[in-house]
Amino acid sequence: MGAATARTAPGGLLSIGQVLARLQDDFSDLTPSKLRFLEEQGLVTPERTRSGYRKFAQVHIERLRLILTLQRDHYLPLKVIAEVLEEVDAGRDPVIPGASSRSASTILAPRRVLSSDELQRSTGASAKFLGEVIAAGLLPASEVFPQDAVAQVTALLRLAERGITPRHLRSVRVAAERESELIAQAVATRGVKTGSPHSTEDSLELAGYLETVRSGVLRHRLTGGS
C-alpha cells in the first residue's frame, strides 16, 4: 500500500470530490485542504493526470481511512502515523501504539453505518434504552450510527446492569463539551486557524493528553492512591 506505488483500483480513479463523498460520513472534518496537507506531509501520494489533477485509487482511500482513524480515535501525531505507514508499506501489520489489541488491518476492515434497528440487534439494546442514550447526549440523534457505536452501546448496557444508567452519565457529555471548549481555546491561543489540518492535529493531540490525565485521576481515586 505504498504511497508512491499504488495501483489503479478496479472501477477507475476518483477525484478529490469523490474521495470526500466516500469518507466524509465517517470523517466530517475532512476537507480538500486537509487532503492536500496530508499529501504535502508525504503520507499519501495520489496519481496525477497530464493536466495535473489529483486522482485517487481505492488503495489511497484505504490509506486515508487509516491515517484519519489514527488521528481521530488514537490521537497519534503525524510522525507516529508515518512510522505506522512505513510498517504497512513493508507488508507488516503493526499494532497501533497505545492500542495493543488493535492492528492496522482491523482499521482497514470495511466500515459502514448502522440503522437504529441494526444497532439494537448488534447490541441487544431495546429501542427505549437507545432512546435514553440519545437523550443523554451520549450518541447523536440520528437515523444512522457509525460502526463503533456498537462498542459504545454495549459498554453502556454493561454499566446499566450495574446501576449506572445513561441518565447518570449526562455529566460525561457535559465534561466532554467543556474539554472540547478548553482545547479549542488552547489551540486558538497558538494562532492556529480553526478548522485547518493543523488545528485538528493539535486538538487531537491535546485530547489524548487529557484522556491520559483523566484515566490517571480515576485510577488514583479507585485504588485509594496505591
Side-chain angles (χ1 to χ4, degrees), residues 13-16 39 46-55:
L13 299 174
L14 304 176
S15 67
I16 285 183
E39 181 183 359
E47 299 181 28
R48 295 271 186 168
T49 65
R50 291 181 178 179
S51 54
Y53 291 106
R54 294 173 178 84
K55 291 293 182 179

Side-chain angles (χ1 to χ4, degrees), residues 1-2 63 66 70 79-97 104-105 108:
M1 197 174 70
R63 192 178 188 87
L66 175 59
L70 292 177
K79 180 180 179 180
V80 177
I81 291 175
E83 294 171 355
V84 171
L85 293 175
E86 287 180 4
E87 290 289 298
V88 172
D89 292 342
R92 293 184 283 272
D93 186 19
V95 172
I96 304 306
S105 63
L108 290 173

Side-chain angles (χ1 to χ4, degrees), residues 165-182:
T165 69
R167 177 174 55 85
H168 294 124
L169 296 174
R170 291 179 185 271
S171 60
V172 173
R173 173 183 57 79
V174 173
E177 291 173 349
R178 289 175 177 170
E179 289 179 3
S180 177
E181 294 173 358
L182 183 64

Side-chain angles (χ1 to χ4, degrees), residues 123-164:
T123 61
S126 66
K128 179 182 178 182
F129 185 82
L130 187 57
E132 292 173 356
V133 171
I134 293 171
L138 302 174
L139 278 179
S142 174
E143 296 181 357
V144 294
F145 303 89
Q147 188 71 37
D148 55 12
V150 172
Q152 187 171 349
V153 173
T154 300
L156 288 166
L157 283 167
R158 300 292 85 79
L159 288 169
E161 291 171 357
R162 305 293 290 273
I164 304 176

Side-chain angles (χ1 to χ4, degrees), residues 11-143:
L13 299 174
L14 304 176
S15 67
I16 285 183
Q18 290 171 317
V19 171
L20 294 175
R22 289 200 178 191
L23 295 176
Q24 277 185 327
D25 282 346
D26 288 331
F27 307 98
S28 58
D29 64 338
L30 183 61
T31 62
S33 62
K34 183 166 186 177
L35 282 176
R36 287 190 286 268
F37 173 74
L38 294 175
E39 181 183 359
E40 291 169 0
Q41 299 303 306
L43 298 180
V44 62
T45 306
E47 299 181 28
R48 295 271 186 168
T49 65
R50 291 181 178 179
S51 54
Y53 291 106
R54 294 173 178 84
K55 291 293 182 179
F56 297 80
Q58 181 59 37
V59 70
H60 297 124
I61 304 298
E62 294 172 355
R63 192 178 188 87
L64 285 167
R65 187 181 295 282
L66 175 59
I67 293 167
L68 296 169
T69 301
L70 292 177
Q71 279 190 313
R72 183 194 64 192
D73 296 350
H74 300 278
Y75 313 113
L76 297 185
L78 293 183
K79 180 180 179 180
V80 177
I81 291 175
E83 294 171 355
V84 171
L85 293 175
E86 287 180 4
E87 290 289 298
V88 172
D89 292 342
R92 293 184 283 272
D93 186 19
V95 172
I96 304 306
S100 58
S101 63
R102 197 173 191 200
S103 66
S105 63
T106 63
I107 293 176
L108 290 173
R111 292 171 59 106
R112 64 186 185 93
V113 294
L114 303 173
S115 67
S116 58
D117 287 342
E118 288 174 322
L119 183 56
Q120 290 172 51
R121 286 196 297 270
S122 297
T123 61
S126 66
K128 179 182 178 182
F129 185 82
L130 187 57
E132 292 173 356
V133 171
I134 293 171
L138 302 174
L139 278 179
S142 174
E143 296 181 357

Side-chain angles (χ1 to χ4, degrees), residues 211-226:
E211 181 63 32
T212 298
V213 172
R214 185 192 305 109
S215 297
V217 172
L218 184 59
R219 284 195 301 271
H220 183 80
R221 294 293 297 270
L222 293 174
T223 60
S226 61

